[in-house]
Amino acid sequence: MQGVSPDVLLKQLNWRYAVKTFDASRRVPAETWRVLEEALVLSPSSYGLQPWRFYVVQDAGVRAKLRAVSWNQSQITDASHLVVLARKVEITAGDVEAHVRRMMEVRGVAAEALKGLRDMMMGSVSSPGTLPGGSMETYTRSQVYIALGVLLSSAAMLGVDACPMEGFDPPAYDEILGLRAEGYAATVVAAVGYRSAGDWLAPLAKVRAKHADVVKHV
């Protein structure tokens, strides 16, 4: 498969930034948003277990409540779309079994062919201390950030702006959205839409460390 050109990739990644002020009058077209949601679904995860759920908050009243517990940041209400990326609080044996069944369905393989993988996953989730980071929370939280990176990069490639946000009260989000009752916890937020012409940050040059300072060839 032929990908986008290197020039286009770097151009779009240089174009993107964490938008501070969105144009509240502009909406992401439905088809473009559908693609971005699908990009989230396609995000990679450890074992492919996908220990997350993505809450797309469209209700204006709910978004106003979320803004109040997000340091009153305007992106929460002014962006076209708001995504709350939530981690699964616990990955259980039932989650592993569901994933195995889904693999059997999609790939048309027998359960016996997946026994080794199933047993490995079961061993990992039954002993959270052995997971990368040493705990279930650290493990699932890190997985959610992989999905965030996919969303930000995908949006940039489509010419859509976004802003990753950690400046919010996670327990308050959990309460407003009823996440804990569903077994999830708010982890990070992404506001998605189009930058305002008056956003002070838009015209500023992107500041990154020198290539040689952060990339080392061994």
Side-chain angles (χ1 to χ4, degrees):
M1 176 182 292
Q2 183 175 355
V4 300
S5 72
D7 287 345
V8 168
L9 174 63
L10 292 180
K11 177 183 177 182
Q12 292 309 111
L13 291 179
N14 272 294
W15 169 83
R16 69 146 301 278
Y17 73 104
V19 173
K20 301 307 178 188
T21 307
F22 282 93
D23 183 344
S25 69
R26 295 189 64 187
R27 303 287 298 173
V28 175
E31 178 58 19
T32 301
W33 184 253
R34 184 193 68 78
V35 171
L36 288 175
E37 283 194 4
E38 192 61 25
L40 273 171
V41 173
L42 291 170
S43 299
S45 62
S46 177
Y47 291 130
L49 279 169
Q50 307 148 81
W52 50 49
R53 184 172 287 174
F54 311 119
Y55 292 84
V56 181
V57 185
Q58 297 174 302
D59 185 280
V62 174
R63 285 173 66 166
K65 291 179 182 178
L66 295 177
R67 177 170 174 168
V69 293
S70 305
W71 299 350
N72 197 37
Q73 295 178 91
S74 64
Q75 297 100 312
I76 300 297
T77 52
D78 291 352
S80 171
H81 289 71
L82 184 72
V83 185
V84 179
L85 295 90
R87 64 179 178 84
K88 192 165 180 39
V89 176
E90 295 290 339
I91 304 175
T92 66
D95 295 318
V96 172
E97 295 291 6
H99 184 45
V100 169
R101 289 194 300 271
R102 181 61 173 160
M103 293 177 71
M104 293 168 59
E105 174 189 355
V106 172
R107 295 178 175 172
V109 298
E112 293 74 19
L114 299 173
K115 184 179 184 303
L117 176 60
R118 175 193 174 279
D119 291 347
M120 186 183 301
M121 291 189 290
M122 285 292 190
S124 293
V125 303
S126 63
S127 302
T130 66
L131 292 169
S135 72
M136 182 68 71
E137 178 176 353
T138 300
Y139 175 69
T140 55
R141 182 180 297 277
S142 66
Q143 299 301 302
V144 169
Y145 278 85
I146 296 174
L148 173 66
V150 170
L151 175 60
L152 298 179
S153 298
S154 298
M157 293 305 298
L158 295 177
V160 176
D161 287 303
C163 180
M165 305 176 71
E166 292 182 310
F168 67 97
D169 182 347
Y173 266 55
D174 292 346
E175 181 177 354
I176 292 169
L177 297 173
L179 303 191
R180 288 287 176 161
E182 298 181 351
Y184 292 86
T187 303
V188 66
V189 173
V192 182
Y194 297 101
R195 65 191 70 177
S196 166
D199 190 349
W200 63 271
L201 191 57
L204 301 185
K206 186 182 294 292
V207 179
R208 293 293 186 270
K210 293 180 179 179
H211 186 102
D213 289 339
V214 294
V215 178
K216 298 295 180 181
H217 296 265
V218 181

